[in-house]
Amino acid sequence: MNILFVLTSHSQLGDTGNKTGFWVEEFASPYYLLSDTGASITVATPNGGAAPIDPSSASPDAATAATDRFNTDTEANALITNTKVLADMNPDDFDAVFYPGGHGPLWDLTENASSIALIEKFNMQQKPIAFVCHAPAVLKNVKNTDGTPIVNGKKVTGFTNSEEAAVQLTSIVPFLVEDMLSENGGVYSKKEDWAAYAVQDGNLITGQNPASSELVAEKLRESLQ
């Protein structure tokens, strides 16, 4: 199994002066679940080089067994600090693509032409495409071959409006993931805030929040078996 992980290159949380990036748990848990079962993982970002980590996701209260393992894993950290350039990635070289979340993708990956084209190609090839938490935001401008939104008529989930309100960023983010998915025709569902929840519709896999990252990775792994 060759799996492409796509991370954000965006590190600024709107105009707040605070930092953002990708959420460590949403990378670490799927990375270990998949790599421990033999998957070869390549990590890419729009800019290449070091991917920014959301500092909130590296705090002690956000720690999990997977993030603790990541913190001392020189090989995994090397992948994060030396990511490939997304535009150089060829979907034909991979069996699936996975997008971890964090707020960063809301700014750069939603409008990134390379990301949009890459997801559309994976989808056309009916390969698994997986997203967790804020990462379903990158589907905003992705289309089916007939020009309809990729999520139209599909069962999806993603970071909820109430979860965004709970972290007090509703007025900071460029748009709300839940609203966008629904407006694009997605059949959106969710569980209570912070509950682990993931849904799959065909080759499309989405998870609600950081706690859902392992569920998404499990569905992705099952899809590749």
Side-chain angles (χ1 to χ4, degrees), residues 73-127:
D73 186 339
T74 55
E75 183 177 340
N77 275 272
L79 289 176
I80 296 301
T81 55
N82 299 283
T83 69
K84 308 291 187 182
V85 176
L86 183 57
D88 295 339
M89 297 297 99
N90 183 351
D92 294 338
D93 295 335
F94 301 97
D95 301 304
V97 66
F98 171 65
Y99 282 68
H103 284 89
L106 288 165
W107 277 274
D108 65 346
L109 287 169
T110 56
E111 308 294 333
N112 184 276
S114 296
S115 176
I116 293 167
L118 183 118
I119 297 169
E120 289 178 345
K121 181 71 178 294
F122 271 97
N123 189 53
M124 188 174 66
Q125 295 173 330
Q126 284 297 298
K127 293 176 180 177

Coordinates of all heavy atoms in Angstrom, one line a residue, residues 73-127:
D73 N 9.7 10.1 17.7 CA 10.0 9.3 16.4 C 10.7 10.2 15.4 O 10.1 11.0 14.7 CB 8.6 8.9 15.9 CG 8.7 7.9 14.7 OD1 9.8 7.9 14.0 OD2 7.7 7.2 14.4
T74 N 12.0 10.0 15.3 CA 12.8 10.8 14.4 C 12.4 10.6 12.9 O 12.4 11.5 12.1 CB 14.3 10.5 14.6 OG1 14.5 9.1 14.4 CG2 14.8 10.9 16.0
E75 N 12.0 9.4 12.6 CA 11.7 9.1 11.2 C 10.4 9.8 10.8 O 10.3 10.4 9.7 CB 11.5 7.6 11.0 CG 11.2 7.2 9.6 CD 11.1 5.7 9.4 OE1 11.6 4.9 10.2 OE2 10.4 5.2 8.4
A76 N 9.4 9.8 11.7 CA 8.1 10.4 11.4 C 8.3 12.0 11.3 O 7.7 12.7 10.5 CB 7.1 10.1 12.4
N77 N 9.1 12.5 12.3 CA 9.4 13.9 12.3 C 10.1 14.4 11.1 O 9.9 15.5 10.6 CB 10.1 14.3 13.6 CG 9.2 14.5 14.7 OD1 8.7 15.6 14.9 ND2 8.9 13.5 15.5
A78 N 11.0 13.5 10.5 CA 11.7 13.8 9.3 C 10.8 14.0 8.1 O 10.9 14.8 7.3 CB 12.8 12.8 9.0
L79 N 9.7 13.2 8.1 CA 8.7 13.3 7.0 C 8.0 14.6 7.1 O 7.7 15.2 6.1 CB 7.7 12.2 7.2 CG 8.1 10.7 6.8 CD1 7.0 9.7 7.1 CD2 8.5 10.7 5.3
I80 N 7.7 15.1 8.3 CA 7.0 16.4 8.5 C 7.9 17.6 8.2 O 7.4 18.6 7.7 CB 6.6 16.5 10.0 CG1 5.5 15.4 10.3 CG2 6.0 17.9 10.3 CD1 4.3 15.4 9.4
T81 N 9.2 17.5 8.5 CA 10.1 18.6 8.2 C 10.6 18.6 6.8 O 11.2 19.6 6.4 CB 11.3 18.6 9.2 OG1 11.9 17.4 9.1 CG2 10.8 18.8 10.6
N82 N 10.4 17.5 6.0 CA 10.9 17.5 4.7 C 9.8 17.0 3.7 O 10.0 16.0 2.9 CB 12.1 16.5 4.6 CG 13.3 17.0 5.5 OD1 14.0 17.9 5.1 ND2 13.4 16.3 6.6
T83 N 8.7 17.6 3.8 CA 7.5 17.1 2.9 C 7.8 17.4 1.4 O 8.6 18.3 1.1 CB 6.2 17.8 3.3 OG1 6.3 19.2 2.9 CG2 5.9 17.7 4.8
K84 N 7.2 16.6 0.6 CA 7.3 16.7 -0.8 C 6.4 17.9 -1.3 O 5.5 18.3 -0.6 CB 6.8 15.4 -1.5 CG 7.5 14.2 -1.1 CD 9.0 14.1 -1.5 CE 9.6 12.8 -1.1 NZ 11.1 12.7 -1.5
V85 N 6.6 18.4 -2.5 CA 5.8 19.4 -3.1 C 4.5 18.8 -3.7 O 4.7 17.8 -4.5 CB 6.5 20.2 -4.1 CG1 5.6 21.2 -4.8 CG2 7.8 20.9 -3.5
L86 N 3.4 19.2 -3.3 CA 2.1 18.6 -3.7 C 2.0 18.5 -5.2 O 1.5 17.5 -5.8 CB 1.0 19.3 -3.1 CG -0.4 18.8 -3.3 CD1 -0.5 17.3 -2.9 CD2 -1.5 19.6 -2.7
A87 N 2.4 19.6 -5.9 CA 2.2 19.7 -7.4 C 3.0 18.6 -8.1 O 2.8 18.3 -9.2 CB 2.6 21.0 -7.9
D88 N 4.1 18.0 -7.4 CA 4.9 17.0 -8.0 C 4.4 15.6 -7.8 O 4.9 14.6 -8.3 CB 6.3 17.1 -7.4 CG 7.0 18.3 -7.7 OD1 6.7 19.0 -8.7 OD2 8.0 18.7 -7.0
M89 N 3.3 15.5 -7.1 CA 2.7 14.1 -6.8 C 1.8 13.6 -7.9 O 1.0 14.4 -8.4 CB 1.9 14.2 -5.4 CG 2.8 14.5 -4.2 SD 4.1 13.4 -3.8 CE 5.5 14.2 -4.5
N90 N 2.0 12.4 -8.2 CA 1.2 11.7 -9.3 C 0.3 10.7 -8.7 O 0.7 9.7 -8.1 CB 2.2 11.0 -10.3 CG 1.4 10.4 -11.5 OD1 0.2 10.3 -11.5 ND2 2.2 9.9 -12.4
P91 N -1.0 10.9 -8.8 CA -2.0 10.0 -8.2 C -1.8 8.5 -8.6 O -2.1 7.6 -7.9 CB -3.3 10.5 -8.7 CG -3.1 11.9 -8.9 CD -1.7 12.0 -9.4
D92 N -1.2 8.3 -9.8 CA -1.0 7.0 -10.3 C 0.0 6.2 -9.4 O 0.1 5.0 -9.5 CB -0.5 7.0 -11.7 CG -1.5 7.5 -12.7 OD1 -2.7 7.5 -12.4 OD2 -1.1 8.0 -13.8
D93 N 0.8 6.9 -8.6 CA 1.8 6.3 -7.8 C 1.3 5.8 -6.4 O 2.0 5.3 -5.7 CB 3.0 7.3 -7.6 CG 3.8 7.6 -8.8 OD1 3.7 6.8 -9.8 OD2 4.4 8.7 -8.9
F94 N 0.0 6.1 -6.2 CA -0.5 5.9 -4.8 C -1.9 5.1 -4.9 O -2.6 5.2 -5.9 CB -0.7 7.2 -4.1 CG 0.5 8.0 -3.9 CD1 0.8 9.0 -4.8 CD2 1.4 7.7 -2.9 CE1 2.0 9.8 -4.7 CE2 2.6 8.4 -2.7 CZ 2.9 9.5 -3.6
D95 N -2.1 4.4 -3.8 CA -3.4 3.6 -3.7 C -4.5 4.4 -3.1 O -5.7 4.0 -3.2 CB -3.1 2.3 -3.0 CG -2.0 1.5 -3.6 OD1 -2.2 1.1 -4.8 OD2 -1.0 1.2 -3.0
A96 N -4.1 5.5 -2.3 CA -5.1 6.2 -1.6 C -4.5 7.6 -1.2 O -3.3 7.7 -1.2 CB -5.6 5.5 -0.4
V97 N -5.4 8.5 -0.8 CA -4.9 9.8 -0.3 C -5.6 10.1 1.0 O -6.8 9.8 1.2 CB -5.1 10.9 -1.3 CG1 -6.5 11.2 -1.6 CG2 -4.3 12.2 -0.8
F98 N -4.9 10.7 2.0 CA -5.5 11.0 3.3 C -5.1 12.4 3.6 O -3.9 12.8 3.5 CB -5.0 10.0 4.4 CG -5.4 10.5 5.7 CD1 -6.8 10.5 6.1 CD2 -4.5 10.8 6.7 CE1 -7.1 10.9 7.4 CE2 -4.8 11.2 8.0 CZ -6.2 11.3 8.3
Y99 N -6.1 13.2 4.1 CA -5.9 14.6 4.5 C -6.1 14.7 6.0 O -7.3 14.7 6.4 CB -6.8 15.6 3.8 CG -6.4 15.9 2.3 CD1 -6.4 15.0 1.3 CD2 -6.0 17.2 2.0 CE1 -6.1 15.3 0.0 CE2 -5.7 17.6 0.7 CZ -5.7 16.6 -0.3 OH -5.4 16.9 -1.6
P100 N -5.1 14.9 6.8 CA -5.3 15.3 8.2 C -5.9 16.7 8.3 O -5.7 17.5 7.4 CB -4.0 15.2 8.9 CG -3.2 14.3 7.9 CD -3.7 14.6 6.6
G101 N -6.5 17.1 9.4 CA -7.1 18.4 9.6 C -6.2 19.4 10.3 O -4.9 19.4 10.2
G102 N -6.8 20.2 11.2 CA -6.2 21.4 11.7 C -6.8 22.5 10.9 O -7.4 22.3 9.8
H103 N -6.7 23.7 11.4 CA -7.3 24.9 10.8 C -6.6 25.3 9.5 O -7.2 25.9 8.6 CB -7.5 26.0 11.7 CG -8.6 25.9 12.7 ND1 -8.4 25.3 13.9 CD2 -9.9 26.2 12.6 CE1 -9.6 25.3 14.6 NE2 -10.5 25.8 13.8
G104 N -5.3 25.0 9.4 CA -4.5 25.4 8.2 C -5.2 25.1 6.9 O -5.2 26.0 6.0
P105 N -5.7 23.9 6.6 CA -6.2 23.6 5.3 C -7.4 24.5 4.9 O -7.6 24.7 3.6 CB -6.8 22.2 5.5 CG -5.9 21.6 6.6 CD -5.6 22.7 7.5
L106 N -8.1 25.1 5.8 CA -9.2 26.1 5.4 C -8.7 27.2 4.6 O -9.4 27.8 3.8 CB -9.8 26.6 6.7 CG -10.7 25.6 7.5 CD1 -11.0 26.2 8.9 CD2 -12.0 25.3 6.8
W107 N -7.4 27.6 4.8 CA -6.9 28.7 4.0 C -6.2 28.3 2.7 O -6.4 29.0 1.7 CB -5.9 29.5 4.9 CG -6.7 30.5 5.8 CD1 -7.0 31.8 5.5 CD2 -7.1 30.3 7.1 NE1 -7.7 32.4 6.5 CE2 -7.8 31.5 7.6 CE3 -7.0 29.2 8.0 CZ2 -8.3 31.6 8.9 CZ3 -7.6 29.3 9.3 CH2 -8.2 30.5 9.7
D108 N -5.3 27.3 2.8 CA -4.5 27.0 1.6 C -5.1 25.9 0.7 O -5.1 26.0 -0.5 CB -3.1 26.8 1.9 CG -2.7 25.6 2.7 OD1 -3.6 25.0 3.3 OD2 -1.5 25.3 2.8
L109 N -5.5 24.8 1.3 CA -5.8 23.6 0.5 C -7.2 23.7 -0.2 O -7.4 23.0 -1.2 CB -5.7 22.3 1.3 CG -4.2 21.9 1.7 CD1 -4.2 20.8 2.7 CD2 -3.5 21.4 0.4
T110 N -8.0 24.5 0.3 CA -9.4 24.7 -0.3 C -9.3 25.3 -1.7 O -10.1 25.0 -2.5 CB -10.3 25.5 0.6 OG1 -9.7 26.8 0.8 CG2 -10.6 24.8 1.9
E111 N -8.3 26.1 -1.9 CA -8.2 26.8 -3.2 C -7.0 26.3 -4.0 O -6.8 26.9 -5.1 CB -8.0 28.3 -2.9 CG -9.1 29.0 -2.0 CD -10.4 28.9 -2.6 OE1 -10.6 28.9 -3.8 OE2 -11.4 28.9 -1.8
N112 N -6.3 25.3 -3.5 CA -5.1 24.9 -4.2 C -5.4 24.0 -5.4 O -6.0 22.9 -5.3 CB -4.2 24.1 -3.2 CG -2.9 23.7 -3.7 OD1 -2.8 22.6 -4.4 ND2 -1.9 24.4 -3.5
A113 N -5.0 24.5 -6.6 CA -5.4 23.8 -7.8 C -4.8 22.4 -7.9 O -5.4 21.4 -8.4 CB -4.9 24.6 -9.0
S114 N -3.6 22.2 -7.3 CA -2.9 20.9 -7.3 C -3.7 19.9 -6.5 O -3.9 18.7 -6.8 CB -1.5 21.0 -6.8 OG -0.7 21.7 -7.7
S115 N -4.2 20.4 -5.3 CA -5.0 19.5 -4.4 C -6.3 19.1 -5.0 O -6.7 18.0 -5.0 CB -5.2 20.2 -3.1 OG -6.0 19.5 -2.2
I116 N -7.0 20.1 -5.6 CA -8.3 19.9 -6.3 C -8.1 18.8 -7.4 O -8.9 17.9 -7.4 CB -8.9 21.2 -6.8 CG1 -9.2 22.1 -5.6 CG2 -10.1 20.9 -7.7 CD1 -9.5 23.5 -6.1
A117 N -7.1 19.0 -8.2 CA -6.9 18.1 -9.4 C -6.5 16.7 -8.9 O -7.0 15.7 -9.4 CB -5.8 18.7 -10.3
L118 N -5.7 16.7 -7.8 CA -5.3 15.4 -7.3 C -6.5 14.6 -6.7 O -6.6 13.4 -7.0 CB -4.3 15.6 -6.2 CG -3.7 14.4 -5.6 CD1 -2.1 14.4 -5.8 CD2 -3.9 14.4 -4.1
I119 N -7.3 15.2 -5.9 CA -8.5 14.5 -5.4 C -9.4 14.1 -6.5 O -10.0 13.0 -6.5 CB -9.3 15.4 -4.4 CG1 -8.4 15.8 -3.2 CG2 -10.5 14.7 -3.9 CD1 -8.9 16.9 -2.3
E120 N -9.6 15.0 -7.5 CA -10.5 14.6 -8.6 C -10.0 13.4 -9.4 O -10.8 12.5 -9.8 CB -10.7 15.8 -9.5 CG -11.5 16.9 -8.9 CD -11.7 18.1 -9.8 OE1 -10.9 18.3 -10.8 OE2 -12.5 19.0 -9.5
K121 N -8.7 13.3 -9.5 CA -8.1 12.2 -10.2 C -8.2 10.9 -9.4 O -8.6 9.8 -9.9 CB -6.6 12.4 -10.5 CG -5.9 11.3 -11.2 CD -6.3 11.2 -12.7 CE -5.5 10.1 -13.5 NZ -4.1 10.4 -13.7
F122 N -7.9 10.9 -8.1 CA -8.1 9.8 -7.2 C -9.6 9.3 -7.3 O -9.9 8.1 -7.3 CB -7.8 10.1 -5.8 CG -6.3 9.9 -5.4 CD1 -5.4 11.0 -5.4 CD2 -5.9 8.7 -5.0 CE1 -4.1 10.8 -5.0 CE2 -4.5 8.5 -4.6 CZ -3.7 9.5 -4.7
N123 N -10.5 10.3 -7.2 CA -11.9 9.9 -7.2 C -12.3 9.3 -8.6 O -13.1 8.3 -8.6 CB -12.8 11.2 -7.0 CG -14.2 10.9 -6.8 OD1 -14.6 10.1 -5.9 ND2 -15.1 11.5 -7.5
M124 N -11.8 9.8 -9.7 CA -12.1 9.3 -11.0 C -11.6 7.8 -11.1 O -12.2 7.0 -11.7 CB -11.5 10.1 -12.1 CG -11.9 9.8 -13.5 SD -11.2 11.0 -14.7 CE -9.5 10.7 -14.5
Q125 N -10.5 7.6 -10.4 CA -9.9 6.2 -10.4 C -10.5 5.3 -9.3 O -10.2 4.2 -9.2 CB -8.4 6.3 -10.1 CG -7.6 7.0 -11.2 CD -6.2 7.2 -10.8 OE1 -5.8 7.4 -9.7 NE2 -5.3 7.3 -11.8
Q126 N -11.5 5.9 -8.6 CA -12.2 5.1 -7.5 C -11.3 4.6 -6.4 O -11.5 3.6 -5.8 CB -13.0 4.0 -8.1 CG -14.3 4.4 -8.8 CD -15.3 5.1 -7.8 OE1 -15.8 4.5 -6.9 NE2 -15.6 6.4 -8.0
K127 N -10.2 5.4 -6.2 CA -9.3 5.1 -5.1 C -9.9 5.8 -3.8 O -10.5 6.8 -3.9 CB -7.9 5.6 -5.4 CG -7.2 4.9 -6.5 CD -5.9 5.5 -6.8 CE -5.2 4.8 -8.0 NZ -3.9 5.4 -8.3

